[in-house]
Amino acid sequence: MASTSSAPMRKVSLRNLAAHKVRLALTVLSVVLGTAFVAGSFVFTDTLQKTFDSIFENTAQGVDVRVSSEERNSSGVPLADLDTITALDGVRAVAPAVSGQIVLIDSDGAAVQTGGAPSIGESYLPPGQALGEPDEYVQGGPPAQVGQMAVNASAAERAQLAVGDTTKVLVPARGMVDVTVSGIYDTGNETGGFIGATFVDSQARQLFTDGKHVEYIDVAGTGLSQTDLRDEIAAALPDAKVQTGDEVREETKAQVTEALSFINYFLLAFGAIALLVGTFIIYNTFSMIVAQRLRELALLRAIGASRKQVGRSVVFEALVVGVIGSAIGIAAGVGLAYGLRTLLNAFDVGLPEGPLQVGPRTILIALVVGVLVTTISAYAPARRASKVPPVAAMREEFASTGDSLHVRTIAGAVLGVLGVVGLVIGSRGTGGGAAAVVGAGALGLILAVLFAAPALSRPIVGALGAVLAKPFGPVGRLARTNAVRNPRRTAATAFALTLGLMLVSVIGVFGASAKASVNQLVDSGVSADYVLTGPNQIGVPSGAARAVRNLDDVQSAAALHPVSVKVDDEQQQGASLDGPLEGVLDYKLVEGGADLTGNHLIVSQTTAAQKGWTLGTTVPMTSADGKVVDAEVTGVFEDNQLVGDWLVSDDVYRQVMPAATIPDLAVLVDAKPGADLTQLRADLESATKQFVVVQVQDREQFKGTQGQQIDTLLAILYGLLALAVVIAILGIINTLALSVVERRREIGMLRAVGMQRSQMRRTIYLESMLIAVFGAAVGVLLGIAFGWGFVSTLKDQGLDQVTVPWGQVIAMLLGSGVVGVLAALWPASRAARTRPLEAIADL
């Protein structure tokens, strides 16, 4: 018998797609959601990259060579190097750069929020000294004397400042500075929340330097190439970092590209999750399509279609769905990127603005990913369809039979055992290696559930049905039977929701554990009555600690600072306290004392043992500027996560850290015995009001602030994961809708023997609820196990409290039941409208 050509088979596939528009729309939608996230990720980051590139085109303009310090945390370039550079033959002009972080105060006396964008104060260099093009002033002019400041136009608008207005600028290392606005200039770029304020050079040096160093020195040459001039300066200053202007621009671009790549990977990871969930829906959909079309495909085989042609027809349908879904997904991705940027701008994140960038790479990747995922997920059903024996498939009972689940169940059990072993072994260690073992165990368990889910679905869904569906009588029993009759379909439908809620549960355990660890850390480490804090990038401005020390009810106010030095050629991180430990930190001395004066150093037991330090040991600490300070070990304390590895005196801190880093990380306030804490809070707030950004918090409020930061991060993650859950819900709708089509004659028979429409709807509702709760329960259990494993590997990072958010777990299980009912609304309504006689007569 001659085989039919491929052209008629393609026509059959296209007509089949056109004849089932609802099924086509649901399948296309799952592809759209996954590819939209991938396309949106690339569009968003490409747009940011292009905008930043346009900004950096103006970076270091007119600069042939830049001289800076090799060490990032150093004081900068010595001013003495200015004379050395100026004296070189190839040098035409030298421009020292003086800058530092500021907080601009608006016309109402509040800090101007930048949303994370830079807020920089710098020295103004007149056109004769500056190497680049001068700024264009839209109002007024540059600062001409101490006390004057010019500011960029977008910052002036946000602060509601005009030329001639007086305001304040907070310089963290120096405190508040009174200024008058001399002019407003245009940066030439849309720079989001960026704030750029310029001061006369003498005042800028007083505000942002130690008087002996500048941040870097820009140089313009007389005719030498940038490379030759760089080499000439490098020979004169062998200890400095010397770069050409082109190298500076490329380095800056590379740093931003690296930062944006993290965002891209982050977004693409969630896009991959969405695609993974979508893959199971597409696979499930095509499996059901093939099952419903077995008689049709068998008829095609009977009239001459070959196995390859039948398989290709199914794959061709998937290819069409993939192309359509990917094309729509690209358009949706552009909208997603636009919406994400609008949302971030609404939250005042301070990102620069520019036109959306849709590059050929974005279109190509989205098309390839969407088409490949769809085609691959349809391959197995296509292969199964091609093996259908024509005569057997035309028998009515063939569609209800299925392959044995024994092999995949055994494979799932083996993988499950291996996964549990990996999870347990990995959780006993710490660090990247342990986390990798936990990850391998987690992957094993996910694959185990994937293989064994059909076998698991029968007893678990059956048990759930016995409890949840029992109150509904015969309708409940029928729903339970429908939910377990096709375990492959039930498992594939539930697995999409399993993946989504598994990830939500992992993040929930991380968040709950992080908050519990922070709370335990504060409870066991902080004894201060109040904590003064400031913004993360700024800390507590200098002067705040002095302002509160003079209050009558304050016993002590100790400022905490981070310290970074080299010890034995290894970078070490510690802290310093410029006041007594008693009353502000809970610690337990093992030996020695806790007197942090002079060049004293106290260390934790673990650090002392690892380094071989004992009382009286002299520890040479080398600053980023190369200065060596000998600190003497005068005490050893019991390990304390909050206190850290070691504490040095304020004297040591000020010798090894640059002047620009003097602002305090926090100020710990201890009240005098018998003091009225309510009145003390009011006094503290009054004393620090002048610093604007300082917050006065008790221990509970301090813990709450840390918890809010964790909640903000979790909200972003949950928002991204919501996409995977939405796709899973659509998968349930899709499966139920196809199931209704598959069971059309059965539903007609039930209606014919007396089942009412409301009972039919209730049956579908319960079936959907059982599938959703099954998927959610498995996902939540996996998520809790994985969260426990990963958090356990972070014990050495301070996450030593593994906490399960039981309230969230219960809410997710209850919510999954509601989701199951909501997902069944349309399929149930469709089933209820089935006309009995037409359905029974339908072949």
Side-chain angles (χ1 to χ4, degrees):
M1 189 179 293
S3 298
T4 58
S5 66
S6 58
M9 293 299 293
R10 285 197 294 269
K11 289 182 180 179
V12 170
S13 298
L14 293 174
R15 287 177 178 176
N16 182 64
L17 288 172
H20 300 88
K21 295 181 177 61
V22 173
R23 184 175 69 198
L24 173 64
L26 287 170
T27 312
V28 165
L29 186 58
S30 65
V31 181
V32 167
L33 287 170
T35 53
F37 216 120
V38 173
S41 300
F42 279 114
V43 171
F44 181 72
T45 52
D46 286 349
T47 300
L48 284 182
Q49 183 69 64
K50 179 67 175 178
T51 307
F52 278 116
D53 284 348
S54 67
I55 293 174
F56 293 137
E57 285 175 0
N58 296 322
T59 299
Q61 289 299 308
V63 176
D64 291 323
V65 172
R66 175 168 292 177
V67 180
S68 57
S69 174
E70 287 283 3
E71 297 289 342
R72 294 184 60 185
N73 294 323
S74 70
S75 299
V77 180
L79 283 171
D81 289 349
L82 275 172
D83 295 333
T84 304
I85 297 171
T86 305
L88 298 174
D89 292 337
V91 173
R92 175 179 60 83
V94 177
V98 178
S99 65
Q101 203 165 41
I102 64 169
V103 177
L104 179 63
I105 308 302
D106 65 19
S107 58
D108 295 326
V112 178
Q113 301 300 317
T114 67
S119 180
I120 303 296
E122 58 186 351
S123 62
Y124 170 74
L125 297 178
Q129 188 178 0
L131 305 185
E133 292 295 324
D135 294 319
E136 179 184 347
Y137 280 82
V138 294
Q139 295 180 37
Q145 61 187 29
V146 172
Q148 290 187 339
M149 171 194 74
V151 68
N152 61 304
S154 60
E157 181 180 354
R158 292 160 69 92
Q160 297 182 331
L161 293 173
V163 173
D165 288 350
T166 58
T167 186
K168 294 178 183 292
V169 170
L170 173 62
V171 181
R174 299 290 184 264
M176 283 293 186
V177 180
D178 293 317
V179 293
T180 300
V181 179
S182 67
I184 298 173
Y185 65 90
D186 185 9
T187 61
N189 293 289
E190 292 292 340
T191 51
F194 170 73
I195 294 175
T198 59
F199 306 83
V200 293
D201 187 58
S202 60
Q203 186 171 23
R205 293 195 188 195
Q206 183 265 326
L207 293 176
F208 305 123
T209 76
D210 58 2
K212 300 176 182 178
H213 300 81
V214 292
E215 185 178 1
Y216 56 83
I217 299 173
D218 283 337
V219 183
T222 57
L224 294 177
S225 68
Q226 288 190 3
T227 304
D228 290 340
L229 182 59
R230 178 198 62 191
D231 294 342
E232 182 181 5
I233 296 174
L237 300 172
D239 295 329
K241 180 180 180 180
V242 185
Q243 300 170 284
T244 64
D246 292 338
E247 289 172 342
V248 170
R249 285 183 284 274
E250 288 304 315
E251 182 182 83
T252 307
K253 285 184 181 181
Q255 291 171 351
V256 173
T257 300
E258 183 178 355
L260 293 181
S261 67
F262 170 77
I263 298 174
N264 205 21
Y265 295 147
F266 184 75
L267 293 176
L268 287 175
F270 285 94
I273 292 168
L275 276 174
L276 181 62
V277 175
T279 298
F280 284 99
I281 294 172
I282 298 167
Y283 172 81
N284 204 23
T285 298
F286 278 98
S287 294
M288 295 186 69
I289 291 172
V290 170
Q292 291 173 13
R293 294 174 56 204
L294 281 178
R295 299 180 70 188
E296 171 195 328
L297 296 174
L299 183 60
L300 289 172
R301 290 288 312 283
I303 63 175
S306 66
R307 287 186 174 185
K308 288 184 178 180
Q309 287 174 322
V310 170
R312 287 171 184 167
S313 71
V314 178
V315 172
F316 179 70
E317 288 184 29
L319 183 64
V320 172
V321 169
V323 171
I324 295 173
S326 298
I328 299 173
I330 292 169
V334 175
L336 184 65
Y338 179 81
L340 180 58
R341 187 177 67 177
T342 302
L343 178 65
L344 292 175
N345 287 338
F347 281 97
D348 202 19
V349 174
L351 293 174
E353 296 182 1
L356 291 177
Q357 302 294 314
V358 184
R361 178 198 61 177
T362 300
I363 297 174
L364 181 62
I365 290 178
L367 279 173
V368 169
V369 168
V371 172
L372 275 181
V373 165
T374 309
T375 307
I376 290 172
S377 31
Y379 173 75
R383 187 168 176 269
R384 193 180 306 130
S386 69
K387 294 182 177 180
V388 174
V391 176
M394 284 188 280
R395 295 199 304 267
E396 182 69 25
E397 66 272 15
F398 183 83
S400 62
T401 63
D403 298 332
S404 172
L405 298 175
H406 290 162
V407 174
R408 64 181 295 171
T409 303
I410 293 172
V414 172
L415 286 169
V417 171
L418 294 175
V420 170
V421 170
L423 205 64
V424 172
I425 292 176
S427 66
R428 294 182 176 179
T430 58
V437 175
V438 170
L443 178 61
L445 281 173
I446 292 172
L447 292 175
V449 170
L450 176 62
F451 284 119
L456 289 173
S457 68
R458 281 175 170 162
I460 296 178
V461 174
L464 288 172
V467 176
L468 300 178
K470 186 175 182 180
F472 298 92
V475 169
R477 289 195 294 273
L478 181 60
R480 177 190 176 192
T481 301
N482 287 339
V484 299
R485 69 192 295 183
N486 192 330
R488 293 178 185 274
R489 180 197 308 156
T490 297
T493 304
F495 192 71
L497 192 59
T498 294
L499 283 177
L501 292 188
M502 176 197 74
L503 293 168
V504 170
S505 300
V506 169
I507 293 172
V509 171
F510 262 102
S513 299
K515 287 193 282 188
S517 297
V518 168
N519 291 345
Q520 192 273 338
L521 198 63
V522 174
D523 288 337
S524 64
V526 177
S527 57
D529 296 295
Y530 289 106
V531 180
L532 308 186
T533 61
N536 288 336
Q537 303 91 339
I538 297 171
V540 181
S542 294
R546 290 194 301 273
V548 301
R549 283 183 185 130
N550 297 326
L551 296 177
D552 293 338
D553 287 335
V554 171
Q555 180 76 22
S556 67
L560 187 67
H561 309 102
V563 181
S564 179
V565 294
K566 281 187 178 179
V567 178
D568 297 330
D569 291 327
E570 182 182 350
Q571 201 68 35
Q572 299 282 326
Q573 307 296 326
S576 78
L577 206 65
D578 68 351
L581 274 71
E582 288 77 9
V584 295
L585 291 178
D586 281 332
Y587 66 98
K588 183 177 180 181
L589 275 176
V590 177
E591 55 181 326
D595 177 23
L596 285 179
T597 58
N599 281 14
H600 290 178
L601 163 72
I602 63 173
V603 300
S604 68
Q605 276 183 296
T606 299
T607 302
Q610 290 175 346
K611 301 291 185 182
W613 296 345
T614 59
L615 293 182
T617 298
T618 298
V619 180
M621 294 186 167
T622 306
S623 72
D625 293 325
K627 183 178 181 180
V628 179
V629 177
D630 290 330
E632 180 186 353
V633 176
T634 58
V636 179
F637 58 86
E638 195 174 273
D639 286 7
N640 186 310
Q641 286 280 355
L642 187 65
V643 177
D645 292 336
W646 46 263
L647 280 169
V648 294
S649 68
D650 188 60
D651 291 339
V652 174
Y653 168 70
R654 293 182 183 276
Q655 292 179 76
V656 298
M657 297 298 290
T661 63
I662 293 297
D664 308 326
L665 191 63
V667 177
L668 308 174
V669 180
D670 178 35
K672 288 182 179 178
D676 183 342
L677 294 182
T678 302
Q679 181 59 47
L680 177 57
R681 172 191 284 277
D683 293 341
L684 291 171
E685 291 174 346
S686 177
T688 58
K689 184 178 181 180
Q690 59 178 311
F691 299 102
V692 183
V693 296
V694 175
Q695 287 185 301
V696 179
Q697 299 175 321
D698 59 26
R699 284 195 296 274
E700 291 303 314
Q701 291 171 325
F702 182 67
K703 290 190 293 186
T705 301
Q706 312 311 309
Q708 286 175 1
Q709 294 176 1
I710 296 171
D711 288 338
T712 300
L713 176 60
L714 294 183
I716 296 172
L717 297 176
Y718 286 146
L720 293 170
L721 283 177
L723 180 65
V725 177
V726 167
I727 297 174
I729 294 170
L730 289 172
I732 296 175
I733 296 173
N734 196 6
T735 301
L736 289 173
L738 292 170
S739 177
V740 167
V741 173
E742 181 184 357
R743 304 202 309 256
R744 179 175 169 80
R745 296 187 69 192
E746 173 191 324
I747 292 170
M749 288 291 294
L750 291 171
R751 295 278 288 117
V753 299
M755 176 173 273
Q756 299 175 358
R757 289 186 174 183
S758 60
Q759 291 176 314
M760 177 56 63
R761 285 195 295 268
R762 202 173 303 133
T763 301
I764 304 296
Y765 294 158
L766 290 172
E767 179 184 350
S768 177
M769 181 188 69
L770 290 174
I771 294 173
V773 172
F774 165 63
V778 175
V780 167
L781 288 174
L782 286 177
I784 291 174
F786 299 165
W788 164 77
F790 283 115
V791 170
S792 296
T793 66
L794 297 172
K795 290 189 290 288
D796 59 333
Q797 301 298 316
L799 253 67
D800 54 358
Q801 301 288 316
V802 180
T803 304
V804 177
W806 292 112
Q808 178 180 319
V809 168
I810 295 172
M812 283 192 293
L813 292 176
L814 293 176
S816 65
V818 175
V819 161
V821 173
L822 293 176
L825 289 177
W826 177 62
S829 176
R830 186 175 182 180
R833 290 197 303 268
T834 301
R835 295 180 179 179
L837 295 180
E838 291 181 5
I840 295 172
D842 193 16
L843 296 177

